[in-house]
Amino acid sequence: MDVTPEKPEPDWDPRSDAVFSNQIKAYDEMRHRCPVAYSDYLGWSLLRHEDVVRALDDHHSFSSAGSRHLSVPSGMDPPRHTAYRQLIERHFEPARVEAFEPLCRAISADLVSSFERNVEIDLVARLARRFAVRIQCAFLGWPDSMHEPLLEWVRKNHEATLARDIVAMATIALEFDGYISQLLEARRRAGTAAPDDITTDLLRQRIGGRPLSQEEIVSILRNWTVGELGTITACVGILAHYLAQKPQLQRQLRKELGLLPAAIDEILRLHAPLISNRRVTTKPVEIGGRRIAAGERVTLIWASANRDEAVFGDPDEFRLDRDPDENLLYGRGIHVCPGAQLARLELRVVMEELLKGTSEIAPAPGRQPVLAIYPASGFSALPLRIG
């Protein structure tokens, strides 16, 4: 197909105060007004479910290799992507994930038991961030001494994001790579005495007949950890906030914990914990009536696609009988999240312990949550009263 490139004027400003004040509402409005929208900041944004699915399924036209930095394997295309993906998937085999549940439950119960009762707490600070850090360190085999440095890193990253300070964000990213490099060096020095965990295992892995390079291992662990810390924090906050706002559903789930898996996926469809992912066009394409040239940035807006009326009807209607294949919470296609089963286990367990360990989760009187802003989602602060 001969497609004439289109260089339009921006259709919107994704960084405007109107968008940042309520991202989910803003994306809903853009999906109705201009479902394939251009901006200087995000390039071409796809907001409809069918368009996002098309881009996910057609990795030949929509490449994942759009970053200037090595990103293993999320920033790769086949065939390069395939070998790295196979190497990573073995760390998320069902038996390994299932074996992690007791430790996950112990961490969750410990955090919930530390809550004061019938007083206001910031659930993001007291549970969501701490759970994300502790659970990720436990799964990767990182020492408890990493908890506070990582929490401090999360705090600084959060402040830089709120301030939209690009220079600070880049510096903070390098600081995180330094943490990983120190962990890897400690394992190399330990030799055969190194802990038998995922991090040590990556030092032993080979790709194409050679060991993984330092840069490759750092990239894998960065993608796992930064993604996990951000999205799990967002997920826990979103789930707790929704249940605080829906006391009838909260009571139902307390009585029927078996409904939690479906309820969690549905709540996170309503309010996406991950706003978007990036692609780059490899050739001219026409999508949603817009012509896009080769080499253009494309942003897949999960937070809009998963609320598309054409697929879900009323996007705000909570239903436990949705078709799970339509929910793009963990992506789709060759780049579907390899840790989806682990994330589902972690969220189920922490919400089980939160419901079992409390009698009520309610909004804090007179206090409003603070919404996170792009590229983050969920809440920056979530005042709740825990009974």
Side-chain angles (χ1 to χ4, degrees), residues 4-287:
T4 303
E6 183 177 346
K7 287 292 185 182
E9 292 296 315
D11 298 302
W12 66 319
D13 179 5
R15 292 175 292 180
S16 69
D17 291 340
V19 173
F20 281 159
S21 67
N22 190 328
Q23 293 184 99
I24 303 300
K25 179 182 178 182
Y27 300 145
D28 282 348
E29 292 173 352
M30 279 304 298
R31 183 175 66 253
H32 300 147
R33 180 170 72 83
C34 186
V36 179
Y38 183 79
S39 68
D40 294 331
Y41 181 52
L42 296 179
W44 293 91
S45 294
L46 306 184
L47 294 113
R48 291 189 305 195
H49 191 278
E50 67 172 302
D51 295 333
V52 170
V53 165
R54 175 182 163 187
L56 293 171
D57 288 348
D58 183 7
H59 61 267
H60 298 290
S61 302
F62 297 89
S63 169
S64 295
S67 174
R68 292 172 296 173
H69 308 288
L70 180 67
S71 180
V72 183
S74 56
M76 296 175 169
D77 296 319
R80 190 183 183 203
H81 165 269
T82 306
Y84 288 99
R85 174 76 185 208
Q86 291 173 345
L87 182 150
I88 286 168
E89 283 180 340
R90 63 183 295 273
H91 295 101
F92 296 100
E93 292 172 348
R96 183 190 290 270
V97 171
E98 291 167 9
F100 185 59
E101 180 167 345
L103 182 52
C104 179
R105 191 170 297 281
I107 291 170
S108 303
D110 180 56
L111 288 168
V112 171
S113 68
S114 71
F115 294 165
E116 301 87 352
R117 293 301 189 265
N118 299 312
V119 298
E120 178 188 312
I121 68 167
D122 178 356
L123 191 117
V124 170
R126 290 292 304 276
L127 177 62
R129 288 184 189 139
R130 291 185 176 277
F131 175 73
V133 164
R134 288 181 60 178
I135 214 73
Q136 182 66 357
C137 287
F139 189 72
L140 293 175
W142 294 359
D144 291 352
S145 59
M146 283 296 296
H147 293 170
E148 290 306 319
L150 283 178
L151 283 168
E152 177 64 10
W153 181 87
V154 168
R155 184 192 63 78
K156 290 190 291 186
N157 192 49
H158 170 67
E159 289 181 353
T161 301
L162 283 177
R164 307 179 199 179
D165 189 334
I166 303 300
V167 174
M169 290 170 71
T171 301
I172 292 164
L174 287 175
E175 178 184 330
F176 187 85
D177 287 0
Y179 290 145
I180 297 176
S181 295
Q182 291 173 20
L183 289 165
L184 294 175
E185 182 56 33
R187 279 162 169 72
R188 289 190 180 100
R189 289 197 304 269
T192 57
D196 185 17
D197 55 32
I198 291 176
T199 304
T200 300
D201 186 65
L202 287 171
L203 290 168
R204 303 170 181 150
Q205 290 300 308
R206 303 180 70 83
I207 194 91
R210 62 165 178 81
L212 287 171
S213 69
Q214 175 82 359
E215 184 183 16
E216 288 167 332
I217 297 173
V218 169
S219 177
I220 290 169
L221 291 172
R222 182 200 310 120
N223 284 346
W224 277 355
T225 307
V226 173
E228 183 84 352
L229 296 182
T231 55
I232 291 296
T233 296
C235 285
V236 174
I238 290 167
L239 293 168
H241 175 261
Y242 193 85
L243 294 185
Q245 297 293 322
K246 305 288 184 180
Q248 184 175 347
L249 175 62
Q250 184 184 150
R251 287 192 293 269
Q252 180 183 10
L253 293 176
R254 288 181 183 279
K255 295 176 182 177
E256 301 177 78
L257 291 175
L259 297 177
L260 265 174
I264 288 170
D265 278 12
E266 176 68 348
I267 294 168
L268 298 179
R269 178 197 66 78
L270 293 164
H271 186 163
L274 179 65
I275 295 294
S276 66
N277 276 134
R278 294 179 296 175
R279 296 292 188 272
V280 176
T281 52
T282 62
K283 59 184 179 183
V285 297
E286 183 170 342
I287 187 166

